[in-house]
Amino acid sequence: MSTTGLNHFLLIEYIKTHQEQFYRIAYSYAKNQQDALDIVQASVEKALRASKGIKEPKYISTWFTRILINTSIDFLRKRKREVLTDTMEEWIGGKTEEREENLDLYEALDRLQPEEKTLMILRYFEDLRFQDMAKIMDMNINTVKTQTYSIIKKLRIQMECEVNGK
Amino acid sequence: MTEHKRKYQDIKIPEELNRMINQTIRKEQQERNRRKRQTRWIAAAAVLVVFVTPLNISQGFADTMAEIPIIGQIAKVLTFRSYTVESEELVAEVTIPEVAELNNQAFEDKINALIQEKVDQTLATAQLRAEEDRQAYLETGGTEDGYEERKTEAKVDYTVYAKSEDALSFMLYSYDSIAAAYAEYSYYNLDVKNDREWNLQDLLGEDYVAVMTDQVKAQMSEQEDIMFWEEVALSDWKVREDIDFYINGEGRVVVVFDKYELAAGYLGRLEYEIVK
């Protein structure tokens, strides 16, 4: 037996002990229970099948998080296509009153592109460092920093505008 | 940001999550076992014809051979046996390493007996735990048939770190589906020239505790991303005398700390290579 068997075992242990974290991340994208559960399940299946891709146990978390995020983003894209054809008007038009109250980062996530969402979730909810985010997203660390700050700025302007009723 | 963070932490975790995760893991495991059985037969059939020459050519090659049941016994020094144990409560897939063709038969027998004893003991404990689990399941309204579906699964397997003229180093590990916390690891470091087990004193010298401690501390100070426990950072902290270790491909000692021993549990078992 090689270390592949051991890594697979460590992956299972990692999945069992971190499932709630996965769910929170998935939920932040999907914003409903059934979709979040589907995302977690699909990610776990993918990861277990691809466990040979784990080079060293210490990278399991980075590796799995990347799978989880890619699955979430794919899912969101698919759903968006379906929703757009159905109820486009609801998305663009209505719901203005609701927006006045409870403005915060968590809800503001909905207005971001999937990739932008990822940066916010990893940085502000999962408390990751820029260097780990760069590894997970396979991006240059400076790009990660610049993008994160520019999203924050964008959100702040949006929120302030809405609070002032503009 | 604290308010946002709190909202995130408050996301309600549905009860199905844990069940879904366990089912997904189990289903994939079953598929994996099915695939493995198929390929093993094909590989065994294909290889039997070709393969009569000695095996110590390359480790990778020998490893591949050892994975095929029929051929396994021919590989020198480390071979294995695979079997499945099944009771009403438990299914265990066991792969046990076995040392073979060492110079000294008595030493070989002793090591193999040690391994077997460890495996038997592990399976007995897993069985006991599975019985408790089954009883709890039946007492809370579960049916006999229902339990058949969610039987405890246990696994015993091993991994090889070094296979050289001086050292044979491998680890036996086991776990079961009831809880990841019950995973066990046993290390075997054999001095194959002198028919004995390596100990840290032989490998690192009289002051081996100080040698390990210095090196581990130095490496820990570079791991800025890990929050080590406070007591580990104190100046009088030392590496345990009976720390787990293995010998790696370069012939160096690697010490392995238990989960939670140095830092938070999610970091797993932290390893440090000791360069002498």
Side-chain angles (χ1 to χ4, degrees):
Chain A
M1 294 295 126
S2 61
T3 45
T4 329
L6 182 60
N7 286 346
H8 188 77
F9 156 58
L10 291 172
L11 173 66
I12 291 177
E13 181 170 292
Y14 173 77
I15 291 170
K16 286 190 174 174
T17 48
H18 290 74
Q19 45 180 281
E20 301 196 347
Q21 186 191 350
F22 306 157
Y23 180 81
R24 285 197 185 93
I25 294 180
Y27 189 90
S28 304
Y29 286 98
K31 292 294 170 73
N32 78 68
Q33 175 173 323
Q34 199 47 53
D35 290 349
L37 283 170
D38 284 351
I39 291 173
V40 174
Q41 179 168 31
S43 307
V44 169
E45 277 172 0
K46 278 187 209 167
L48 289 170
R49 284 199 199 115
S51 67
K52 280 202 177 113
I54 303 168
K55 296 283 173 274
E56 275 184 67
K58 63 176 169 190
Y59 299 130
I60 287 182
S61 135
T62 315
W63 181 85
F64 188 90
T65 309
R66 190 186 292 167
I67 293 178
L68 180 67
I69 285 168
N70 289 339
T71 312
S72 304
I73 292 178
D74 280 353
F75 191 89
L76 232 53
R77 291 237 163 81
K78 250 177 246 159
R79 188 173 71 183
K80 202 171 174 192
R81 273 199 295 276
E82 286 159 18
V83 171
L84 271 179
T85 48
D86 277 6
T87 52
M88 210 152 144
E89 277 170 26
E90 205 180 306
W91 269 66
I92 301 165
K95 287 188 179 173
T96 25
E97 289 98 314
E98 280 176 45
R99 285 197 193 156
E100 301 284 325
E101 303 294 318
N102 298 325
L103 280 169
D104 67 17
L105 182 57
Y106 186 69
E107 268 137 44
L109 280 182
D110 292 344
R111 286 169 232 173
L112 297 173
Q113 291 298 314
E115 285 79 7
E116 297 177 326
K117 246 184 193 181
T118 306
L119 290 165
M120 294 294 103
I121 292 171
L122 295 183
R123 180 70 186 169
Y124 296 106
F125 299 145
E126 287 295 325
D127 289 331
L128 291 187
R129 296 170 316 157
F130 284 121
Q131 89 188 70
D132 294 321
M133 293 166 64
K135 271 187 226 150
I136 290 172
M137 302 181 72
D138 204 11
M139 277 163 74
N140 176 293
I141 183 165
N142 291 321
T143 319
V144 171
K145 272 189 201 164
T146 332
Q147 290 195 1
T148 305
Y149 291 135
S150 86
I151 297 164
I152 284 286
K153 206 168 149 194
K154 188 167 104 183
L155 283 177
R156 200 165 283 150
I157 293 168
Q158 269 186 13
M159 285 186 204
E160 277 164 12
C161 284
E162 284 172 33
V163 170
N164 298 337
K166 282 177 203 165
Chain B
M1 287 295 163
T2 33
E3 173 68 13
H4 316 311
K5 185 80 201 275
R6 199 185 49 75
K7 235 180 178 162
Y8 182 68
Q9 291 300 341
D10 284 350
I11 293 175
K12 206 174 138 272
I13 305 294
E15 278 175 34
E16 302 97 286
L17 179 67
N18 190 35
R19 200 170 353 135
M20 179 274 280
I21 293 275
N22 289 336
Q23 265 170 11
T24 310
I25 291 173
R26 191 166 308 196
K27 228 176 88 199
E28 202 274 340
Q29 197 63 46
Q30 284 163 355
E31 272 170 39
R32 181 172 287 262
N33 291 340
R34 225 185 355 257
R35 275 199 309 272
K36 205 154 69 184
R37 272 196 293 274
Q38 279 169 3
T39 46
R40 272 188 178 177
W41 277 111
I42 297 165
V47 156
L48 252 172
V49 194
V50 191
F51 165 60
V52 207
T53 39
L55 257 193
N56 294 334
I57 316 164
S58 87
Q59 176 161 354
F61 185 53
D63 282 350
T64 322
M65 286 302 120
E67 278 178 31
I68 302 156
I70 307 165
I71 308 284
Q73 300 302 328
I74 308 170
K76 310 262 169 179
V77 190
L78 196 63
T79 64
F80 76 94
R81 278 185 299 135
S82 272
Y83 56 87
T84 311
V85 191
E86 185 155 9
S87 68
E88 253 176 37
E89 299 82 10
L90 177 80
V91 194
E93 285 233 11
V94 183
T95 303
I96 312 189
E98 241 171 61
V99 290
E101 309 208 10
L102 298 186
N103 308 324
N104 179 329
Q105 186 66 41
F107 178 62
E108 191 179 304
D109 293 346
K110 186 184 131 195
I111 296 298
N112 286 333
L114 269 178
I115 296 172
Q116 187 67 53
E117 196 184 319
K118 181 80 211 167
V119 171
D120 292 346
Q121 185 200 329
T122 304
L123 290 177
T125 322
Q127 169 66 20
L128 218 63
R129 228 171 5 233
E131 280 169 20
E132 280 168 14
D133 183 60
R134 179 170 186 258
Q135 200 176 351
Y137 179 74
L138 295 179
E139 278 168 6
T140 51
T143 61
E144 301 265 348
D145 284 348
Y147 194 81
E148 194 59 31
E149 290 286 296
R150 42 158 292 160
K151 253 187 185 184
T152 304
E153 282 166 37
K155 191 165 175 71
V156 178
D157 208 336
Y158 70 99
T159 186
V160 179
Y161 296 112
K163 205 159 35 166
S164 73
E165 287 170 13
D166 303 308
L168 175 61
S169 180
F170 57 96
M171 183 216 351
L172 187 71
Y173 61 92
S174 62
Y175 59 95
D176 61 46
S177 54
I178 297 182
Y182 295 127
E184 275 191 84
Y185 310 82
S186 326
Y187 294 81
Y188 300 85
N189 299 294
L190 309 184
D191 176 351
V192 280
K193 252 188 204 148
N194 302 308
D195 299 315
R196 56 190 190 119
E197 285 192 73
W198 282 114
N199 61 43
L200 286 167
Q201 201 167 342
D202 296 331
L203 291 159
L204 301 173
E206 277 302 314
D207 53 347
Y208 66 98
V209 173
V211 171
M212 295 190 295
T213 306
D214 285 351
Q215 296 227 6
V216 170
K217 276 190 172 167
Q219 290 174 46
M220 279 182 352
S221 70
E222 281 167 22
Q223 293 175 304
E224 285 162 14
D225 47 337
I226 298 181
M227 284 274 286
F228 293 100
W229 305 133
E230 268 175 40
E231 60 265 32
V232 176
L234 297 176
S235 60
D236 60 350
W237 177 84
K238 283 193 195 79
V239 177
R240 284 184 284 132
E241 280 177 33
D242 59 348
I243 189 82
D244 279 331
F245 73 97
Y246 63 85
I247 298 169
N248 66 14
E250 279 85 55
R252 296 200 181 112
V253 170
V254 178
V255 292
V256 188
F257 290 87
D258 285 343
K259 204 170 160 177
Y260 302 106
E261 190 170 353
L262 298 181
Y266 74 89
L267 290 160
R269 294 162 61 80
L270 292 166
E271 300 190 352
Y272 298 91
E273 187 183 50
I274 309 295
V275 184
K276 238 209 123 191

